[in-house]
Amino acid sequence: MSERIEQLKKRESKYVQTQPLYQNYWFQSMHGDPTRPGKTSSVVDMTLSLAGVVVSSVMNSSSSQFSPKDSSFISWHTIPEVKESGLLDLISIREYKLQEAMFEVITSEASYLRSLTIAVSHFSKCPEMLDMLTLTERHTLFSNLQEVKDTSERFLLDLEERLGENLLLTDISDIVLWHCADFRRVYIPYVTNQMYQEKMIQQLVLSEEFVQVLKKLEAHPICQQQLLKSFLILPFQRITRLKIMLENILMLNPPESPVADSVRKAVEAIGEIIHECNENVKRMRQIEELVSLEKQMEFSRTKSFPLISQTRFLVKEGELDEISGFESGHTTGSPTRPVYLHLFNDLLLLSRKDNGRFSVLDYARIWKVRAHCFEAKSLVFALCLVENHKGTNRNFIVGAGNEYEIQEWVAAISTLQ
């Protein structure tokens, strides 16, 4: 491994300084670029399901800074060696599109690495930034961005080496598969940190000193008017974009060919990384939600318990009406009191809400809870804690504003049995 690292140090990318910033590449990939043969304008980047809102909003705001003069994309057919070789007269249209699709992986990775280099050297290693931020703040803000950059550089150099061996590329999916272990190692922690990164930025911009330093860094010509946020969200965009480009390459290969099989494995491998990123982000948001809820809970009426658990998550919550006197056969005129339900995947918690806090009345494990409607259009349902936190049986009649809401609650509780 050390020998391989030394070899990589001796190599330099041929394209990283010739490509535009990845923000500009991303903008054109989203909106289509008629100057790029083989580019399909209908292809749109996927975004991580939980991080997508942040990614889209930041990129849309920064992409407005883009102008056509910033474009310096290179296409495979414009490479001097390709022109001189006569290959363009020998290959079919499908093969030509395939070459452009594989070459785009190389040039876009070069563009990505160029932006990552700025993020690391210009922002994260800025002396003023280092002096101002604590170790915890720096780690939360920039996470393992240096490792993401190093991984991108190794990947790009291997791709360029393949192109140097033969101008007519046959496959690059094996290189993708080779680097998937590194992709998993660096992308999953970076994406998982995204939520904390957002909060850290929100905290830091409250400091006038930080804002002044940040504005100075963002105003530097090397950033081309791009904001720090647009650099920090690049890994989210890249890993999903890579999967789309591989899918395009797969479509251009004969379905039963050995290469297609390899590309298919690469698509699946990158897809698994994206899925794991999504699941980690989802899990961290769920834990943060539990942390927030626990701070709002008061157990003065019941025995307290730790709400935060690695396996627990909130399924549904809402304020309903606890109805008394339903045994008489009607609800009209029956006294009601608001009751707040927190339905978790393993627990049902009932409380009274007052000034943003929840005074817990009772709770039970979900497998000890039963719920059913009385009739088709009933605005109430029966809620039974077969065994509550005290080990006793307790029954409630709960009402809502409409039958749809009643059915939703009954279905949600029943599904978790």
Side-chain angles (χ1 to χ4, degrees), residues 33-53:
D33 179 7
T35 67
R36 301 190 68 196
K39 181 74 187 81
T40 306
S41 60
S42 62
V43 173
V44 178
D45 275 86
M46 299 180 299
T47 52
L48 297 175
S49 61
L50 294 171
V53 174

Side-chain angles (χ1 to χ4, degrees), residues 50-299:
L50 294 171
V53 174
V54 176
V55 171
S56 298
S57 62
V58 173
M59 292 308 292
N60 286 339
S61 64
S62 64
S63 63
S64 62
Q65 310 287 349
F66 174 80
S67 62
K69 65 184 178 63
D70 297 319
S71 176
S72 55
F73 296 109
I74 300 174
S75 296
W76 177 77
H77 76 283
T78 64
I79 301 175
E81 292 87 348
V82 171
K83 287 181 176 180
E84 295 167 3
S85 68
L87 283 171
L88 294 173
D89 298 322
L90 302 174
I91 60 176
S92 66
I93 294 176
R94 180 192 65 79
E95 290 172 322
Y96 167 68
K97 288 182 177 179
L98 179 59
Q99 292 304 309
E100 292 289 4
M102 288 190 286
F103 188 67
E104 184 182 356
V105 176
I106 300 174
T107 54
S108 62
E109 192 67 32
S111 175
Y112 176 54
L113 178 58
R114 183 180 177 186
S115 287
L116 286 177
T117 301
I118 294 171
V120 171
S121 61
H122 183 66
F123 286 101
S124 74
K125 293 185 178 180
C126 167
E128 291 176 275
M129 192 76 79
L130 291 172
D131 291 340
M132 185 189 319
L133 304 180
T134 66
L135 286 173
T136 300
E137 288 171 338
R138 289 206 301 267
H139 179 72
T140 304
L141 184 59
F142 297 107
S143 189
N144 60 331
L145 197 59
Q146 176 71 59
E147 293 181 16
V148 175
K149 172 189 170 293
D150 293 342
T151 298
S152 172
E153 184 172 19
R154 290 192 294 270
F155 179 47
L156 175 61
L157 290 175
D158 282 350
L159 289 170
E160 289 190 25
E161 184 176 310
R162 176 66 55 85
L163 181 65
E165 293 170 356
N166 193 335
L167 287 172
L168 193 65
L169 293 165
T170 55
D171 186 24
I172 59 170
S173 62
D174 58 322
I175 299 176
V176 175
L177 286 167
W178 172 265
H179 285 269
C180 269
D182 282 342
F183 292 157
R184 182 181 297 276
R185 178 178 56 82
V186 300
Y187 278 105
I188 291 175
Y190 189 89
V191 173
T192 303
N193 180 63
Q194 179 258 346
M195 176 176 61
Y196 302 103
Q197 188 182 71
E198 289 176 36
K199 291 183 178 180
M200 180 55 64
I201 292 175
Q202 291 170 4
Q203 292 175 17
L204 290 173
V205 294
L206 297 176
S207 164
E208 186 176 345
E209 182 186 8
F210 177 81
V211 172
Q212 288 178 348
V213 171
L214 182 60
K215 285 184 177 179
K216 177 184 174 182
L217 291 172
E218 291 175 338
H220 194 284
I222 197 174
C223 295
Q224 298 180 27
Q225 297 183 306
Q226 300 292 342
L227 305 179
L228 170 62
K229 287 183 179 179
S230 76
F231 287 96
L232 294 179
I233 53 82
L234 294 178
F236 302 98
Q237 286 289 312
R238 184 55 184 171
I239 192 66
T240 51
R241 180 66 186 166
L242 180 57
K243 181 172 183 285
I244 287 176
M245 289 190 291
L246 288 170
E247 288 172 337
N248 291 341
I249 292 170
L250 179 60
M251 287 189 292
L252 291 168
N253 272 287
E256 304 303 322
S257 67
V259 172
D261 186 56
S262 178
V263 177
R264 198 173 293 111
K265 289 177 182 176
V267 170
E268 291 173 357
I270 297 297
E272 288 174 3
I273 295 173
I274 293 172
H275 176 74
E276 194 168 343
C277 285
N278 271 316
E279 288 301 305
N280 275 23
V281 171
K282 182 179 178 181
R283 193 177 303 115
M284 294 308 296
R285 290 193 183 278
Q286 289 169 346
I287 291 174
E288 282 296 303
E289 190 172 36
L290 292 177
V291 170
S292 177
L293 278 175
E294 188 168 70
K295 293 177 181 177
Q296 298 173 278
M297 295 292 175
E298 293 180 352
F299 290 90

Side-chain angles (χ1 to χ4, degrees), residues 320-339 352 361 374 379-383 394-400:
L320 301 173
D321 294 318
E322 179 188 358
I323 302 172
S324 303
F326 186 74
E327 285 89 352
S328 60
H330 59 85
T331 59
T332 306
S334 299
T336 64
R337 289 184 298 176
V339 60
R352 304 266 189 238
L361 303 173
F374 286 99
L379 296 182
V380 299
F381 69 93
L383 179 63
R394 192 169 180 186
N395 295 287
F396 298 86
I397 302 299
V398 183

